[in-house]
Amino acid sequence: MDAAREARRIRPYAGNPRYWQHKGRPVVLLGGTVDDNLFQIPDLEEHLDLLASVGGNYIRNTMSDRPDQGYEVKAFKRLDDGRYELNQWNDVYWDRFETMLRLTAERDVVVQIELWDRFDHSRGNWESDPFNPGNNVNYTFEESGLAPEYPEHPLHNKQPFFFTVPTLQNNAVVLPFQKKFVDKVLSYTLPHDHVLYCMDNETCGVPEWGAYWAGYIRDRARGAGVTVELTEMWDQWDVTGPMHRATFDHPELYTFVDISQNSQTTGEANWDNAQWVRAYLADHPRPMNETKIYGADTSKWLDRGIDSTHGMQTFWRNILGGFASSRFHRPPSGLGLSETAQAQLRSARLLLAELDIFRCEPDSGHSLLVGRETNAAYLTRIDGEQYAVYFPDGGRVGLDLRRATGRFECRWLAVDGSRWAGTREVSGGDVVPLAPPASGQWVALLCRAAGT
């Protein structure tokens, strides 16, 4: 392997493997975009420019081609009779993909790819899917073992498409075409240093499926002389549940974890569950990503509190909670790159420019927050040096600095306004009362004063 080339690649940070480094520098990955299969959108360059201008450096990109918006195209060549040839490609699809990789590389935007999405191959989307035997010239229903319809929600995992690998059904008809698709993806991505790989979107499948593709991709990468970072994303909303252990318990296979579904959990439990995962990974610390934060006032889960307020609060709990990445999910289920999301991204970069997050430790059990009420304040710190306290909506709390002597400069970040709004000096050695200047989201940043 080329050592200089490897050093540039996205990889766990040498100084703290819970975070990423890219081009040899530690990075916190933050984002929010309008769609999941971003390479297909017609105004991609403008969208990436906007993302970068507000501090975003991270996108999610599913390889999906389902016709949600009307501008999507399929990966395979369509013949004159309307059927697809799975041995030939649709150049438009791949040109779009190549363009996305180039534009993101130019802007230092990291791409997390999801290879397979269960929603692409079930219900109405199966009717136009090139892998549907009725839509291609390569195999029949009888040869492939695939049916004309899969009307159930994919959470039931009834689609044999996701059982083709040798450790499951060993489908010698369909699997070679799946491999060709993955090989084609890798032919574009492996030369790039800014790509992360996730096997599936919120899968309910069996672990053998994702494990096969993770091994397959790692072998292909090794053959190309590069190292890649891999994960699987599970659908179980309770991230402390057993489904996620297939990723957590296999650091030899999955070099980071994605717990996007934790954002389906609101309030204090959202923090507690994430901190449980962080502690569970302690023996093999790895980056903890959240590539989609649910929560918008257009969400279908408003009755469960998955609204814009929840989306913003989750974003900030993630940052102080030690996440390596946080990205707002696309509308209508998330804030995308709305003006609200843009403000959160700007504010996060203001904070991270002053806070050495890579050395911070979250106060998981709130032991240093005195008089704290439920979901009222969250803390991360470098003991004796820096303390950052996030207030979801005003309020007050005491910060226990009895073991931290000296003077500290306390600055207030108005999150929703993306501005610093006041500074005062406080003394350590006591419990310091903190109360934001107004309601809304605030962060108090305390840094040891120079010379103390």
Side-chain angles (χ1 to χ4, degrees):
M1 292 185 179
D2 184 326
R5 181 185 179 192
E6 282 292 287
R8 292 175 54 87
R9 297 188 72 84
I10 183 78
R11 62 199 297 187
Y13 173 39
N16 182 351
R18 293 185 183 275
Y19 287 96
W20 294 109
Q21 70 178 51
H22 184 219
K23 298 183 177 178
R25 300 186 301 271
V27 291
V28 176
L29 303 182
L30 303 176
T33 47
V34 71
D35 211 342
D36 57 342
N37 53 342
L38 205 66
F39 76 108
Q40 297 258 25
I41 70 171
D43 57 343
L44 175 61
E45 187 164 8
E46 293 82 356
H47 198 58
L48 290 174
D49 283 342
L50 175 59
L51 176 68
S53 74
V54 297
N57 63 346
Y58 176 55
I59 69 168
R60 173 192 184 215
N61 191 88
T62 64
M63 298 308 300
S64 295
D65 54 14
R66 60 180 185 267
D68 291 339
Q69 306 296 330
Y71 46 66
E72 298 88 351
V73 297
K74 303 291 186 181
F76 301 97
K77 182 176 181 179
R78 194 171 191 179
L79 305 177
D80 292 340
D81 65 2
R83 292 183 295 170
Y84 293 93
E85 167 54 80
L86 302 185
N87 288 306
Q88 299 184 47
W89 306 109
N90 178 0
D91 290 339
V92 175
Y93 178 98
W94 298 103
D95 287 347
R96 290 179 178 181
F97 187 54
E98 184 177 40
T99 297
M100 181 274 294
L101 292 169
R102 175 178 58 81
L103 293 175
T104 49
E106 291 171 356
R107 291 157 177 78
D108 284 336
V109 172
V110 170
V111 180
Q112 183 168 318
I113 285 177
E114 289 161 31
L115 286 169
W116 306 109
D117 190 338
R118 59 186 183 160
F119 293 100
D120 290 348
H121 308 288
S122 64
R123 299 188 293 186
N125 293 320
W126 182 242
E127 297 176 8
S128 61
D129 191 337
F131 284 104
N132 183 327
N135 297 330
N136 68 60
V137 298
N138 303 95
Y139 49 69
T140 65
F141 290 108
E142 184 178 16
E143 291 169 339
S144 66
L146 299 173
E149 296 181 343
Y150 291 100
E152 293 189 62
H153 191 285
L155 68 85
H156 298 292
N157 203 31
K158 297 292 183 65
Q159 167 59 291
F161 183 88
F162 296 103
F163 289 83
T164 57
V165 301
T167 50
L168 295 171
Q169 295 179 0
N170 195 22
N171 188 322
V173 174
V174 178
L175 182 60
F177 294 105
Q178 293 172 322
K179 287 181 178 180
K180 286 183 180 180
F181 176 77
V182 172
D183 287 342
K184 184 70 169 176
V185 171
L186 296 177
S187 72
Y188 289 96
T189 60
L190 289 180
H192 287 280
D193 58 35
H194 67 301
V195 180
L196 301 171
Y197 297 85
C198 182
M199 304 306 102
D200 293 272
N201 170 41
E202 57 182 45
T203 181
C204 287
V206 294
E208 291 86 351
W209 164 262
Y212 173 81
W213 291 112
Y216 185 87
I217 292 167
R218 179 172 283 109
D219 288 346
R220 286 293 191 269
R222 188 180 295 116
V226 299
T227 303
V228 292
E229 310 303 331
L230 308 160
T231 197
E232 179 65 289
M233 185 202 303
W234 301 96
D235 186 43
Q236 189 174 25
W237 291 0
D238 179 2
V239 294
T240 71
M243 189 175 286
H244 295 274
R245 308 295 172 87
T247 303
F248 300 165
D249 292 347
H250 292 283
E252 79 288 353
L253 184 62
Y254 297 119
T255 54
F256 70 105
V257 303
D258 191 298
I259 56 170
S260 290
Q261 296 309 95
N262 191 52
S263 67
Q264 294 278 11
T265 302
T266 60
E268 190 93 1
N270 174 263
W271 169 273
D272 290 343
N273 287 358
Q275 294 306 302
W276 182 94
V277 173
R278 194 172 191 275
Y280 190 90
L281 299 176
D283 289 342
H284 297 282
R286 286 165 278 166
M288 193 163 67
N289 281 16
E290 189 156 291
T291 194
K292 49 182 179 181
I293 296 173
Y294 296 100
D297 291 339
T298 51
S299 164
K300 63 182 179 181
W301 299 296
L302 290 178
D303 60 328
R304 295 179 41 240
I306 312 293
D307 55 13
S308 295
T309 297
H310 165 73
M312 291 184 288
Q313 291 185 6
T314 297
F315 178 77
W316 285 95
R317 283 188 290 257
N318 286 358
I319 292 174
L320 270 69
F323 277 70
S325 83
S326 292
R327 171 193 163 272
F328 293 109
H329 193 29
R330 49 127 181 98
S333 298
L335 290 169
L337 196 53
S338 62
E339 290 185 2
T340 299
Q342 292 175 42
Q344 310 307 302
L345 292 168
R346 289 192 190 97
S347 293
R349 290 305 177 193
L350 287 174
L351 177 64
L352 294 174
E354 306 293 333
L355 176 67
D356 187 358
I357 194 69
F358 307 108
R359 294 175 55 220
C360 283
E361 183 72 18
D363 186 12
S364 299
H366 319 297
S367 61
L368 297 182
L369 298 178
V370 179
R372 177 187 180 274
E373 297 181 356
T374 301
N375 197 39
Y378 297 91
L379 166 68
T380 192
R381 84 284 191 188
I382 307 169
D383 283 325
E385 296 182 33
Q386 291 189 314
Y387 301 82
V389 183
Y390 166 61
F391 293 84
D393 188 13
R396 62 178 60 246
V397 75
L399 176 60
D400 187 349
L401 294 183
R402 285 175 290 189
R403 295 185 179 182
T405 58
R407 293 179 290 109
F408 292 82
E409 181 184 72
C410 177
R411 304 173 66 190
W412 285 100
L413 175 62
V415 170
D416 298 322
S418 300
R419 60 185 175 83
W420 292 104
T423 302
R424 68 184 176 101
E425 189 173 277
V426 301
S427 296
D430 203 349
V431 175
V432 176
L434 296 175
S439 60
Q441 297 186 104
W442 292 85
V443 176
L445 176 63
L446 285 75
C447 299
R448 177 172 289 280
T452 68

